[in-house]
Amino acid sequence: MDQGLFITAELRVKPDVSLELAKLAIFRFCRDMESEPGCSFALPLQDKEDPRKFILWERYDDEAAHQAHFNAEHTQRFIQQGLTELVQAFQSQLLIPEQ
């Protein structure tokens, strides 16, 4: 079973940035990610206790699709806006019991 590549990324909105502006940009960024070839979903989640902290859950078909994501115009545009900082990111896979 080809399960794909799952990415969890933690973003923090910079202190001098409007939270409402950042929320809109993050939402649009995730929506744009879903138009990338090989990206099945990109879900933005906001921390309930720290509203400036966001988690992005993303799923790509493979590592090539994930790497292509960084060259996408919308990704570069989001980075250039400078609204957030990347706190951490990691790759994971589905837990599938061996038969």
Side-chain angles (χ1 to χ4, degrees), residues 11 13 16 19 31-32 35 59 68 73-75 82 92 94:
L11 302 178
V13 176
D16 60 335
L19 183 57
R31 187 187 63 208
D32 289 343
S35 70
R59 188 223 172 253
E73 182 180 329
H74 56 264
T75 301
S92 54
L94 290 173

Side-chain angles (χ1 to χ4, degrees), residues 10-23 26 46 50-54 78 82-87:
E10 179 183 348
L11 302 178
R12 175 165 295 285
V13 176
K14 293 181 178 177
D16 60 335
V17 171
S18 157
L19 183 57
E20 291 308 310
L21 175 67
K23 285 169 56 172
I26 291 167
Q46 185 178 24
D50 181 354
R52 299 185 81 78
K53 177 180 171 181
F54 291 82
F78 181 77
L83 304 174
T84 64
E85 60 184 354
L86 177 64
V87 176

Side-chain angles (χ1 to χ4, degrees), residues 2-95:
D2 183 19
Q3 59 175 304
L5 177 64
F6 293 84
I7 305 297
T8 302
E10 179 183 348
L11 302 178
R12 175 165 295 285
V13 176
K14 293 181 178 177
D16 60 335
V17 171
S18 157
L19 183 57
E20 291 308 310
L21 175 67
K23 285 169 56 172
L24 182 58
I26 291 167
F27 178 80
R28 286 181 177 158
F29 180 46
C30 287
R31 187 187 63 208
D32 289 343
M33 271 192 264
E34 291 181 335
S35 70
E36 295 174 21
C39 180
S40 303
F41 63 79
L43 301 172
L45 303 163
Q46 185 178 24
D47 190 287
K48 291 180 97 175
E49 294 181 14
D50 181 354
R52 299 185 81 78
K53 177 180 171 181
F54 291 82
I55 301 294
L56 306 185
W57 284 344
E58 308 162 30
R59 188 223 172 253
Y60 297 91
D61 291 343
D62 52 32
E63 183 61 33
H66 179 233
Q67 289 305 312
H69 157 75
F70 294 106
N71 295 320
E73 182 180 329
H74 56 264
T75 301
Q76 291 301 310
R77 184 173 50 246
F78 181 77
I79 292 169
Q80 292 302 314
Q81 287 178 315
L83 304 174
T84 64
E85 60 184 354
L86 177 64
V87 176
Q88 63 178 328
F90 55 91
Q91 298 182 6
S92 54
Q93 61 189 19
L94 290 173
L95 177 61

